[in-house]
Amino acid sequence: MGETWKQGTICVQGGYSPKNGEPRVLPLYQSTTYKYDTPDDLAALFNLQAEGYIYTRIGNPTIAAFEAKFAQLEGGVGAVATASGQAAIMLAILNICNAGDHLLCASTVYGGTYNLFAVSLKKLGIEATFFNPDLPAAEIAALAKPNTRLVYAETLGNPAMNVLDFAALSQASKELGVPLVIDNTLATPYLCRPFEHGANIVVHSTTKYADGHASAMGGIVVDGGNFDWTNGKYQELVEPDPSYHGVRYVQDFGAAAYIVKARVQLLRDYGNCMSPFNAYLSNLGLETLHLRMERHSQNALAIAKWLEQDERISWVNYPGLASSDQYERAQAYLPKGASGVLTFGVKGGLEQAKAFIENLKVAALVTHVADARTCVIHPASTTHRQMTEEQQRQAGVTPDLIRLSVGIEDVEDLIADLNQALSGGKQYAHHRG
Ligand SMILES: *Cc1c(COP(=O)(O)O)cnc(C)c1O
């Protein structure tokens, strides 16, 4: 059902279609366990011969509906929800990389992803090379090694807000015979569907726009079902899995080989699953994703234009601004809007930037992004503080950079708030208790 639906209809009704007399709203199945009549019924499930639920670590009806909706939104063949975005990224990588393997990663990725690849995966023997995502395809491909297993990048870099050159990256990964893994968190499948631009695997922190209300941690891995795993580099997907009595993922599950392995092997063993309650909340969030992303994008564009003409601001970076060097790419890959995050510099440097943040009344200082409420952060001293200044520069983080995550409030109130904060919080002084 719903194969021809557009994104808004999938947001509201995808993933769950109640039968006669069943609840209209996706129920929260807050159960770890499932009851069966005979040992043979359960054995068939353990053999992967029958479909059904065994144990919530590897599957649950509420989580499954959320996964099905997300896979439909992205246009993939299947999805696995995880405890957080970091858990999704780790699962996506470990599903096809072992000790001794190598990956290529855009230097503009989220700080947490950078640390995961540069520090924690390195300890497991997986090495990352970071590249400038604006390099031509041939130069990116030239950084590969015989043991390179994937290329990784973000649709919209967090917080550089650079728009990925999908054409170059997909060309480079095709040349190398490795999948292109895309973090689509800040764009969401409403604004961009990476599988249509050559991506093979998509990951998300659903903690951000998918939930959208800053109430549930979560992540998801979506399989495009469009990569040939039989090219000799991914033997674990082709040869029998001894931990699953000889299942052969490609032979037995075809286009869904990658995502079945991620669930039955890795989610089973690592246990980084989403909780049913978080799937329930995140599904409620998805029901309004299309409306929220439209408003986030409209508000962010209006604020970017307002900041751009204000003399107290030294620079503004938003890919939806006609003056942005990312504008053409944004028009090509994000035609419905450039999402809700923008960055800018306040004249006067670090001290002025800090005072500005302290003066805000509607926007709040939080370690978060992509939520219905407007929020702000200073990445150089927080999310990116573990990096050297040179690494920060490669990630697009300058000392004066302020990241504004524009919410879905009335934009007039947001602009008034920015205005008073830039002029020292004066207009609102009488409101202070
Ligand atoms: C927040 C974020 C992550 C990490 O997700 P968590 O849910 O916080 O673990 C990964 N990628 C991007 C682009 C993010 O913004």
Side-chain angles (χ1 to χ4, degrees):
M1 182 178 167
E3 281 79 17
T4 61
W5 283 351
K6 295 194 194 319
Q7 294 292 82
T9 310
I10 301 170
C11 283
V12 181
Q13 296 210 20
Y16 176 66
S17 41
K19 299 189 193 74
N20 191 35
E22 288 183 350
R24 179 72 173 104
V25 174
L26 173 65
L28 167 57
Y29 289 95
Q30 191 68 33
S31 179
T32 59
T33 43
Y34 307 88
K35 185 237 169 217
Y36 289 94
D37 290 338
T38 72
D40 286 346
D41 290 343
L42 199 49
L45 292 177
F46 271 92
N47 267 340
L48 303 180
Q49 284 158 348
E51 279 190 32
Y53 300 99
I54 299 176
Y55 187 55
T56 286
R57 181 174 359 103
I58 53 172
N60 165 285
T62 307
I63 301 170
F66 175 67
E67 290 167 338
K69 179 182 284 188
F70 224 110
Q72 209 179 343
L73 282 171
E74 286 287 8
V77 296
V80 167
T82 58
S84 68
Q86 290 298 105
I89 297 166
M90 196 179 78
L91 195 72
I93 303 301
L94 294 185
N95 205 28
I96 46 172
C97 288
N98 291 315
D101 287 341
H102 171 260
L103 62 89
L104 287 171
C105 179
S107 63
T108 46
V109 292
Y110 173 70
T113 306
Y114 179 87
N115 284 335
L116 173 64
F117 292 177
V119 181
S120 293
L121 287 187
K122 195 171 173 189
K123 285 194 256 176
L124 301 184
I126 297 167
E127 193 203 350
T129 300
F130 295 89
F131 63 85
N132 174 346
D134 284 333
L135 288 176
E139 285 182 46
I140 295 170
L143 297 170
K145 306 177 180 196
N147 57 346
T148 300
R149 289 294 173 267
L150 61 93
V151 176
Y152 188 97
E154 293 172 356
T155 303
L156 279 167
N158 181 1
M161 290 306 280
N162 54 312
V163 182
L164 192 69
D165 184 351
F166 277 101
L169 270 269
S170 70
Q171 190 190 329
S173 33
K174 281 202 184 89
E175 240 165 66
L176 298 172
V178 303
L180 177 60
V181 182
I182 294 294
D183 182 333
N184 198 32
T185 298
L186 290 190
T188 81
Y190 181 71
L191 298 178
C192 178
R193 303 218 305 170
F195 296 141
E196 291 170 1
H197 307 298
N200 305 105
I201 305 295
V202 163
V203 296
H204 282 266
S205 165
T206 62
T207 316
K208 311 294 170 51
Y209 286 122
D211 165 36
H213 298 77
S215 60
M217 295 296 302
I220 201 158
V221 183
V222 190
D223 184 353
N226 57 353
F227 186 81
D228 176 15
W229 303 107
T230 64
N231 67 5
K233 296 183 179 182
Y234 307 94
Q235 289 309 97
E236 277 190 296
L237 280 147
V238 178
E239 284 167 8
D241 178 355
S243 82
Y244 239 117
H245 36 72
V247 157
R248 295 165 191 258
Y249 295 104
V250 171
Q251 185 186 298
D252 297 347
F253 298 100
Y258 172 96
I259 204 71
V260 170
K261 177 175 178 288
R263 181 186 308 281
V264 303
Q265 189 191 62
L266 294 194
L267 207 57
R268 176 197 64 182
D269 292 354
Y270 296 136
N272 47 355
C273 58
M274 182 177 271
S275 87
F277 186 45
N278 282 3
Y280 175 83
L281 289 174
S282 306
N283 176 66
L284 280 184
L286 281 187
E287 291 185 4
T288 56
L289 181 75
H290 53 309
L291 299 178
R292 289 185 288 107
M293 293 318 295
E294 260 173 32
R295 179 64 84 88
H296 281 294
S297 301
Q298 284 165 9
N299 280 1
L301 180 60
I303 289 176
K305 284 181 178 165
W306 182 82
L307 288 169
E308 192 174 41
Q309 55 76 50
D310 194 283
E311 56 189 18
R312 296 163 292 185
I313 300 298
S314 41
W315 55 270
V316 184
N317 174 31
Y318 180 65
L321 273 181
S323 59
S324 164
D325 61 358
Q326 304 291 306
Y327 183 69
E328 272 175 38
R329 258 187 227 160
Q331 295 300 105
Y333 295 118
L334 303 157
K336 290 196 269 189
S339 193
V341 181
L342 56 90
T343 57
F344 59 95
V346 176
K347 278 186 190 158
L350 191 58
E351 286 316 306
Q352 284 299 114
K354 282 188 184 166
F356 162 76
I357 289 176
E358 285 170 26
N359 291 334
L360 288 166
K361 301 290 188 295
V362 181
L365 172 62
V366 301
T367 305
H368 195 50
V369 66
D371 144 17
R373 297 159 207 87
T374 297
C375 54
V376 70
I377 201 163
H378 179 241
S381 63
T382 56
T383 51
H384 287 66
R385 99 175 271 131
Q386 315 307 339
M387 293 181 168
T388 65
E389 216 164 285
E390 170 60 14
Q391 288 166 339
Q392 287 186 354
R393 202 184 51 73
Q394 286 170 1
V397 174
T398 50
D400 64 337
L401 180 146
I402 289 173
R403 185 184 73 190
L404 186 69
S405 172
V406 180
I408 57 174
E409 301 94 337
D410 285 299
V411 73
E412 295 81 2
D413 292 329
L414 298 176
I415 290 175
D417 188 37
L418 296 171
N419 192 26
Q420 65 81 22
L422 285 167
S423 46
K426 286 183 193 106
Q427 292 92 314
Y428 280 66
H430 63 280
H431 284 169
R432 288 201 183 126

